[in-house]
Structure formats: structure tokens, C-alpha cells
Amino acid sequence: MLRFGLLTDQSRKSKAARLLYEHVRTKGKATPTTATQVGPWPVQAGYDLATTDRARVVDLRLHEEHMSPYFKTDMNLFHLLMLDDKIEMAIYKTSEGILLAFEGLPENPEPFGAHGHDMR
């Protein structure tokens, strides 16, 4: 399922997101994508991120913005905390800011422990 997060220009992480987009556009190993709309937002240009650039998205620490009115997303805090470099990612430029799209996020936590649950 495709999940997305839009960092608008008023967000405190917008400068870091713009710098990440410019890095991916100029120096990254990303491949351009032909998408014209992601979720409810029309996009201008976008790139599918290579595994080397995915760590940069994780380093943005989007979970710090989960309550911000300037970060529009369909993800909850669990999804934001589960972001890692194994998730397929894409970055897009929109008129409102930088849009990040994620494919392959788990919907629920994985069971753990001897019988699939915590014994505490």
C-alpha cells in the first residue's frame, strides 16, 4: 500500500527536505519517475530513490513531525517509526512542498516472543 507524507514549506524540516530533493536530483543515483499525481497531490517532478539515498530520508526523522499541522500524511506514528532503508521510497516536488512516498510499510506490528506475544 502506498503511504505518503507532504512536508509543506512552513514545516521546520522543509529546508532539509528541499536540500535532499536537490541532492537526489543532481548527485543521487535515483531514477526519474513519470507519475503526475501521488495521492491527492499533483506532482511536478519525482525520483525513485536508490538504496544509498534512502538513509537520507530516514535521517530526516519524520516521526518528529507527526503532530505538526505542516506535515500532511496518511501515516500514523507507528508507520513513521517503522521507516528504514528497506522500504521503497520516492521523492516528488509539488507546489506545496516536498512529497515523500513509501511502498511496503507494514500495516501492523509483527508478533514476537515464544508464542507470538510479549510475556511481560
Side-chain angles (χ1 to χ4, degrees):
M1 175 178 224
L2 182 68
R3 299 283 184 174
F4 54 84
L6 175 70
L7 287 160
T8 59
D9 291 332
Q10 294 85 13
S11 172
R12 61 188 175 142
K13 303 244 181 199
S14 67
K15 183 177 180 182
R18 279 193 311 261
L19 289 173
L20 173 64
Y21 179 81
E22 289 302 318
H23 170 78
V24 167
R25 187 176 66 82
T26 57
K27 299 176 189 162
K29 297 176 182 164
T31 57
T33 182
T34 59
T36 58
Q37 183 154 347
V38 176
W41 291 284
V43 296
Q44 298 167 358
Y47 299 92
D48 291 323
L49 296 178
T51 41
T52 55
D53 293 326
R54 292 178 191 166
R56 294 177 185 269
V57 174
V58 174
D59 288 342
L60 282 177
R61 296 193 297 204
L62 295 175
H63 62 274
E64 294 175 353
E65 292 286 308
H66 81 280
M67 294 294 288
S68 171
Y70 306 117
F71 180 56
K72 300 176 183 175
T73 184
D74 66 340
M75 297 181 282
N76 58 29
L77 182 58
F78 168 76
H79 294 120
L80 293 170
L81 289 171
M82 293 304 295
L83 289 177
D84 62 3
D85 57 355
K86 297 174 189 77
I87 307 285
E88 295 292 324
M89 298 180 192
I91 189 167
Y92 301 94
K93 186 171 188 164
T94 68
S95 59
E96 295 181 42
I98 301 296
L99 178 69
L100 297 161
F102 307 99
E103 184 71 41
L105 275 171
E107 289 297 315
N108 298 313
E110 295 292 324
F112 62 95
H115 300 286
H117 56 277
D118 189 8
M119 297 300 290
R120 286 183 267 175

